[in-house]
Amino acid sequence: MTDVLHILKVALDVPLDRVFDYKTDHPNTQIGQYVVVPFGARKMIGVVVGISDTTAIESNKLKSIIRLDPEVIFDEQSFKLFQFCSQYYHYPLGQTILSAVPSRLKKLNTKAMAKKYLYRLTPKAIELGVDTLPPRQTILKRIVMSLIDATELDEASLRSISSTWKKSIETLGEMGWIEKNEVALDDKVYTQAPIPSLNDEQKKVFDEITKTNQAFAAWLLYGITGSGKTEVYIRLIEEALKKEHAQVLVLVPEINLTPQLESRFRSRFENYTLVTLHSHLTDNERLTHWRLAKEGTAQIIIGTRLSVFTPMPHLSLIIIDEEHDASFKQQEGLRYHARDVAIFRAKSENIPIVMGTATPSLESWFNATKTKDAKKFGFLTLTSRAVEDSTLPEIKCIDISKSTVTKGFSPYLIDAIRDRLNKKEQSLIFINRRGFAPVLLCASCQWTGRCNRCSSRLVVHLNQKRLRCHHCGHDEKMPLQCPSCGNTDLYPTGLGTQRVEETLKEFFPEARILRVDRDSTKTKEALNDLFLKMKSREIDILIGTQMLSKGHDFPHLSLVGVLDTDQALYSPDFRASERLFSQLMQVSGRAGRAQIEGEVYIQTAFPNHPIFEALKTHDYEHFANELLKEREFAELSPFAFLVLLKAEAHQLTHVMQFLNEAMTKAQNLSTHVTVYNPVRPIMERLKGMERAQLVLQSNSRVALQKLLDDWVSYLRESRLGQKVKWVVDVDPLEF
Ligand code: ADP
Ligand code: ZN
Ligand code: ZN
């Protein structure tokens, strides 16, 4: 009956770089709406990316859509962003779009949203105080303490305190301690911390950035920890939100998105709607927050890397905190770097972007300080700590080649910890986890436990007496005898957090010690608990890995001890020293943030290594410039652009055949790109798969991209490529 058929171009979550045609008789379909369509024998969610009245498909083969959802899930700006990412990272458009959409939407039937509430204490609760709660009610206490801290918490934050938060909130409600409000009401009341007036440096930074009058400009804000970067962000956001309807996006590393940070922002923006987007939200919460952003209702969005794709109709400013953080790079699927995508987005929407950090990535450092012709980034600095009387910690290296080390500890470090215990101050013992897990070693034949499926060593878990592979999860009993020579003298090498804990317990039996690593703090809940315990001084010594190195203030912490980091000094990964430096700088920043003075002890056999010289003088600049010279000499990033092709299969010959074909093809495609031979990565075998990879390198991004256009389509068609799993990683961070 209808002669006007609309052909919808639909992007689907399938690994094919094309869109699919479907017909509909729906007259008002819009780009960005999502649809359910038949695909083979399945039903799939797709997104309309084009509407046409013609198709190359024969009419009897053209299928109809099954359902059209009224919600438009992205606008033109987001579409531009998806197209850019799809092209730049050479990832199919459909998969690009669908990886950026909240997963709740992708379930075939979305239900109406439940109402959201914010909880806070009643005046009665504040008057009575946490001490009047029954002594055993630890969860109640924790919730009340967190509410005192944050003034107001939403369900996600409460869940991060305890999984049984609902029951506790009910109890507190019955006691008359809690009141709740619907989210997005504008009558919230916060206990306002005094707002500092900006110091001269901060003012200068603020003025520089606001001078650009809200047009595109990219700024690197290089400021030491505690120099007041966050305060500057807050002022910039206030300024941006003076414009009617304006929205601001704040990107932070997952680990930094704490209730503390959230409440700091909430208390300063009490008249605005602020939402968070991160992986600890439920799918429903995520969808609600995302919709508030997309509809323009939420003015401030604080989120982790994926939120860079959130549609925001009135986006006026982007802030990236800790721009150097490796978690901004997605390591699977669409391998984007949120910082780079954010810069593209800022440019395309003609708005400013501010990237703050104490240890810029070398790429950003280069863009802000080195390029001779028009600098890519504006360069701004904050050189001193914002709080008066708080100074940077003193950093000392302990030469372990010259001192007797007992189970990983030099006497100097032990004395320093004892001194802190006497003064009732806290210590943090930091272990660089990468490569430092203990492995089992045979004293007579040098046998070590290895994983059969991965080319990695098995890690000793002393408490459970088991050996585990940290890559594939393989788990076995710790042998009592060497499987190779029968010797019973097997001992764990290297320093794992568990061993360090045992050693410290021997040295300081009276101390309250807490060990934090991925095994002991899987949940945000546990991590949050830890911060409260540190704050209330229930812990004397904290042992931890890089997850502790940033984001949190421990006011009673005055000593940081860094155990063995020397492997990272001589790692084959060219970014290892950059990472080590920023990690040590961050972890040093944990000491002495409040009024007590901080000290950092680094145990190393190479105390004269330039990295430590730079750390001692807190001289990132000198260190970065030296590293840049090395990179220039070696023709590495940021002086060259890199692409990694990774392949794996059960049989190595398949991998090598494919990579050799890929290499030859790439060599034929361009003379401006260097194509390296396929090599095995450090982890040659993973989960039973043989792996190899090859690197492309060029000093011209354009030439490299041009090659990739042809090369990736060629690889997608390759018959050898069907036998292996392969991915292309543009601007890889890890090799
Ligand atoms: P960063 O983000 O650089 O680590 P913050 O913005 O968190 O620094 O500031 C560190 C501390 O200094 C915070 O407690 C903050 O409230 C305080 N602060 C920031 N700016 C000022 C200022 N201008 N005057 C006084 N205190 C300040
Ligand atoms: Zn042996
Ligand atoms: Zn394994």
Side-chain angles (χ1 to χ4, degrees), residues 674-734:
T674 310
V675 184
Y676 289 94
N677 287 323
V679 292
R680 311 288 312 262
I682 298 170
M683 184 66 68
E684 292 189 350
R685 201 177 317 117
L686 184 70
K687 301 181 188 178
M689 302 286 262
E690 301 291 342
R691 313 162 85 208
Q693 59 195 32
L694 68 81
V695 171
L696 308 184
Q697 178 192 47
S698 176
N699 54 18
S700 157
R701 184 167 263 167
V702 177
L704 194 56
Q705 280 291 332
K706 205 160 152 282
L707 179 148
L708 287 177
D709 286 340
D710 298 332
W711 195 52
V712 175
S713 354
Y714 174 85
L715 297 179
R716 285 201 179 109
E717 302 296 320
S718 156
R719 307 238 335 255
L720 292 170
Q722 314 292 316
K723 293 188 188 159
V724 300
K725 256 172 73 185
W726 59 270
V727 294
V728 168
D729 191 347
V730 179
D731 307 329
L733 274 193
E734 279 168 20

Side-chain angles (χ1 to χ4, degrees), residues 515-626:
R515 173 173 58 87
V516 182
D517 55 22
R518 284 218 188 87
D519 298 341
S520 69
T521 12
K522 284 226 175 59
T523 59
K524 205 163 189 169
E525 181 173 322
L527 208 56
N528 217 13
D529 192 37
L530 159 92
F531 294 121
L532 292 174
K533 278 195 179 141
M534 279 297 279
K535 213 169 170 178
S536 57
R537 298 208 217 189
E538 288 168 55
I539 299 168
D540 300 314
I541 305 174
L542 190 61
I543 302 165
T545 55
Q546 50 262 37
M547 62 190 304
L548 282 182
S549 62
K550 54 198 164 188
H552 301 280
D553 276 348
F554 301 127
H556 311 293
L557 183 84
S558 62
L559 173 72
V560 173
V562 179
L563 303 183
D564 219 345
T565 56
D566 290 350
Q567 266 183 25
L569 297 176
Y570 300 98
S571 158
D573 181 345
F574 73 87
R575 283 197 173 84
S577 50
E578 177 186 344
R579 267 190 220 121
L580 179 64
F581 185 88
S582 85
Q583 233 170 47
L584 292 182
M585 194 96 153
Q586 297 271 359
V587 76
S588 304
R590 295 309 104 214
R593 283 203 89 174
Q595 260 57 26
I596 46 176
E597 242 167 72
E599 262 187 329
V600 179
Y601 280 53
I602 300 173
Q603 298 194 157
T604 173
F606 308 93
N608 299 319
H609 192 283
I611 205 171
F612 299 125
E613 292 301 322
L615 271 170
K616 277 186 230 164
T617 49
H618 304 278
D619 193 352
Y620 170 80
E621 305 185 30
H622 179 71
F623 178 70
N625 292 335
E626 289 301 307

